[in-house]
Amino acid sequence: MFDQIEALLRELSWDLEQSDRPFYLRLSESLRRAMESGQLRPGELIPSTRQLASACGVHRHTVMNALGELVSQGWLESEQGRGYRVVKGLPRYFSTDQPPATDSSLSRRTFRYAFPSGQPDLRLFPRREYSAILREVVHQSDPMALLGYADPSGNPELREQLAHYLRRMRDLRGGDILITNGSQEGIFLVGSLLLSPGALVAVEESGYAPAWEALRLTGGRLVGLRVDGHGVDPQALEELARREKVCLLYITPLHQYPSTVTMPVERRRELYEVCARHRIPILEDDYDHEFHYRSRPLTPLKSSDSEGLVYYTSTFSKVVYPSARLGFLVPPPGRAAELARLKKITTRQSNTLVQLTQARWMANGGFERHLRRMRRTYQNRMGVMCQMLDRGRESYGLKVSYQPPDGGMSLWVDFGLDTAELAVKAVELGVGVRAGSEYRLDAGPSTHLRLGFASSSEEEIREGLDLLFKAAQDIAG
């Protein structure tokens, strides 16, 4: 057994794929391959975190993050006082074609309680109302127009409804609208249009990993910018732009991902001025604009884009349902046709049936009624989660701190301890969370968790957080 572990450690030291993806993801995939090949067999203990860290030349926290991925995917199980063991059965939901674990894997199908950061409560979706509109579209539409090939830019009826909605709700006036398969396709299309291999992309130092992956796939070389209590620091971008040519800035200014902070007006102006001075295109991801509680949300950067720098992307995944894959992109003047050509080459078009159903739902007012109901529900759930976090500090003696956000679907919570270890411990109690380190560009250690409140009932929030607090107590001693 000792010889086998030594051989595995030697192999891991050179087998890790060379890429700019976070090291913990590369390590988890390398360990997974060792299990798939039979080098690590069901029921066997794997090398200790200290052995793996030493062999790979990384911090032990990085190894903990990698093992946490494999625990959440179902490849490993944690044993108190012994370490990590390969599970005896096949993983519950993993397939070799899946990407690393994301919020989509944090569901009650896998865990008793789960707090994914951007998942709507689909149990409250008005299925009867929506299905009536869908049936009407199917029965009344021309089959060739509904089921055949269509404009890659999107269905004209939906684009017209969107233009009206964005003008009223987000102060976005004019501009071409491209319908995309979620905001993820919009990000990929912008990267494909603007980037070449090695092009420097400035991103928030903690942010949305799937967007980073899309930008990397289109050639981007990512550099993280400082984020504080007001969002991205414009001075950090200025310093970077003086050293190197920045080909794109990707930001989430309304509810910074993952910290949820809202970038104030003055900070937005300063950031835009830096981009204008250095001619840096901006990819603005406004992923959950509708869920803002304290006041009307600030209008997007795109609404005052005097220099034609902003590519604005957003999604209906948070307010309709994720599998609808409905997103949209509003580019600067003159770029829509190029983006439509790229979309035609990659995905050809978005689903016309879903687009028309959404357009009719918007036209009859049902969409906004549903949106208002969900906004009230999520605001109440945020209040319950805040109360529970206060209780964790008072009743459990935990060093829990957070800043209630102006909006969003999650809280960014500092537990004052290593959340990679906490996430693994929580799994043992049936609670699915993701460590703060998974949102860091450098995958470094973090004491934060991003806890989503939208997809859980108030009772589920109370019960799940009680278990999470017990896991934190065990670690804190």
Side-chain angles (χ1 to χ4, degrees):
M1 181 63 180
F2 179 81
D3 291 341
Q4 179 185 357
I5 290 176
E6 285 292 301
L8 175 64
L9 293 175
R10 284 196 302 271
E11 184 172 329
L12 283 175
S13 67
W14 56 262
D15 183 48
L16 293 167
E17 62 176 274
Q18 295 300 310
S19 76
D20 56 0
R21 300 182 67 210
F23 189 89
Y24 79 97
L25 293 178
R26 289 184 273 146
L27 177 56
S28 69
E29 290 169 0
S30 186
L31 286 168
R32 188 200 71 211
R33 288 194 294 270
M35 288 181 272
E36 288 177 328
S37 67
Q39 189 175 7
L40 284 172
R41 298 179 181 178
E44 286 185 346
L45 284 169
I46 71 166
S48 71
T49 56
R50 294 188 187 281
Q51 287 176 308
L52 288 169
S54 176
C56 299
V58 297
H59 196 281
R60 188 163 169 257
H61 286 109
T62 303
V63 174
M64 294 289 291
N65 289 337
L67 300 184
E69 284 286 314
L70 295 169
V71 169
S72 67
Q73 293 170 1
W75 287 98
L76 296 179
E77 55 189 1
S78 173
E79 291 190 2
Q80 185 69 32
R82 299 201 67 189
Y84 295 85
R85 187 183 296 276
V86 182
V87 296
K88 294 181 180 178
L90 291 174
R92 289 169 292 184
Y93 60 86
F94 185 85
S95 75
T96 56
D97 294 329
Q98 282 185 313
T102 61
D103 285 343
S104 62
S105 64
L106 297 183
S107 71
R108 274 176 293 278
R109 289 177 297 175
T110 307
F111 301 101
R112 184 180 176 190
Y113 302 100
F115 298 106
S117 69
Q119 173 76 37
D121 193 339
L122 300 176
R123 296 170 295 188
L124 302 181
F125 185 74
R127 289 177 292 175
R128 183 172 298 177
E129 175 185 346
Y130 186 85
S131 62
I133 300 171
L134 188 147
R135 286 196 300 272
E136 179 182 293
V137 169
V138 169
H139 291 303
Q140 296 182 4
S141 300
D142 172 52
M144 293 300 293
L146 180 66
L147 305 177
Y149 290 114
D151 186 347
S153 297
N155 177 263
E157 191 172 333
L158 177 57
R159 284 191 286 155
E160 181 181 352
Q161 286 296 325
L162 254 178
H164 179 61
Y165 175 79
L166 294 176
R167 187 167 55 249
R168 290 189 302 109
M169 305 300 290
R170 307 191 191 185
D171 198 30
L172 291 181
R173 302 172 185 275
D176 296 305
I177 296 174
L178 180 73
I179 305 300
T180 59
N181 292 303
S183 58
Q184 188 71 14
E185 184 183 35
I187 294 166
F188 183 80
L189 290 173
V190 172
S192 300
L193 179 67
L194 299 181
L195 304 180
S196 56
L200 192 153
V201 180
V203 301
E204 296 148 326
E205 62 184 357
S206 291
Y208 186 53
W212 295 342
E213 290 297 298
L215 295 171
R216 286 189 178 108
L217 281 173
T218 55
R221 173 172 58 91
L222 275 52
V223 175
L225 300 176
R226 292 189 300 271
V227 175
D228 59 23
H230 300 293
V232 164
D233 181 358
Q235 186 58 36
L237 179 61
E238 177 69 42
E239 293 167 1
L240 179 63
R242 287 176 180 174
R243 296 194 306 268
E244 297 187 68
K245 177 177 173 56
V246 180
C247 298
L248 182 66
L249 169 66
Y250 169 74
I251 51 171
T252 53
L254 183 62
H255 302 138
Q256 197 277 325
Y257 195 100
S259 70
T260 71
V261 300
T262 297
M263 186 183 293
V265 172
E266 182 61 21
R267 173 68 65 90
R268 292 173 183 231
R269 183 188 64 78
E270 293 174 10
L271 189 66
Y272 189 88
E273 288 178 354
V274 173
C275 291
R277 189 158 50 247
H278 295 279
R279 304 307 301 169
I280 303 171
I282 302 168
L283 177 51
E284 180 180 12
D285 189 349
D286 198 0
Y287 61 93
D288 63 356
H289 186 97
E290 287 76 12
F291 298 124
H292 203 79
Y293 315 119
R294 190 161 294 176
S295 61
R296 281 187 62 86
L298 290 176
T299 57
L301 285 170
K302 181 66 178 176
S303 66
S304 54
D305 180 21
S306 58
E307 300 289 329
L309 297 174
V310 180
Y311 294 77
Y312 179 81
T313 186
S314 189
T315 179
F316 283 126
S317 293
K318 308 296 186 288
V319 287
V320 184
Y321 53 94
S323 67
R325 306 314 304 139
L326 267 182
F328 54 93
L329 179 64
V330 185
R335 307 312 298 263
E338 297 170 277
L339 289 162
R341 282 196 293 272
L342 284 171
K343 179 176 173 64
K344 186 175 182 179
I345 292 169
T346 54
T347 60
R348 184 56 178 83
Q349 68 186 70
S350 296
N351 186 302
T352 303
L353 174 58
V354 174
Q355 291 183 75
L356 268 176
T357 302
Q358 178 66 24
R360 306 283 169 84
W361 197 26
M362 295 177 79
N364 72 17
F367 169 71
E368 290 191 43
R369 286 194 298 272
H370 173 61
L371 176 56
R372 288 191 293 270
R373 287 193 298 267
M374 300 314 296
R375 188 186 293 117
R376 289 192 297 269
T377 298
Y378 294 165
Q379 185 173 11
N380 290 337
R381 291 177 178 182
M382 184 177 78
V384 171
M385 181 169 278
C386 289
Q387 291 170 5
M388 284 299 299
L389 291 169
D390 293 341
R391 182 184 171 204
R393 187 168 51 240
E394 296 161 4
S395 301
Y396 287 83
L398 298 173
K399 297 179 180 179
V400 176
S401 63
Y402 66 96
Q403 182 64 42
D406 294 337
M409 303 168 75
S410 304
L411 295 178
W412 185 238
V413 185
D414 189 346
F415 275 78
L417 49 80
D418 178 13
T419 50
E421 186 176 358
L422 176 58
V424 172
K425 186 70 176 176
V427 168
E428 298 173 5
L429 300 179
V431 181
V433 293
R434 293 182 65 204
S437 53
E438 297 186 33
Y439 301 93
R440 290 177 57 109
L441 187 64
D442 63 4
S446 173
T447 59
H448 284 81
L449 288 179
R450 182 172 160 96
L451 295 176
F453 49 78
S455 64
S456 299
S457 69
E458 294 181 8
E459 190 60 27
E460 288 165 343
I461 291 172
R462 293 188 184 97
E463 293 175 359
L465 286 186
D466 263 331
L467 291 173
L468 184 62
F469 294 154
K470 290 175 183 176
Q473 261 191 332
D474 288 346
I475 294 171

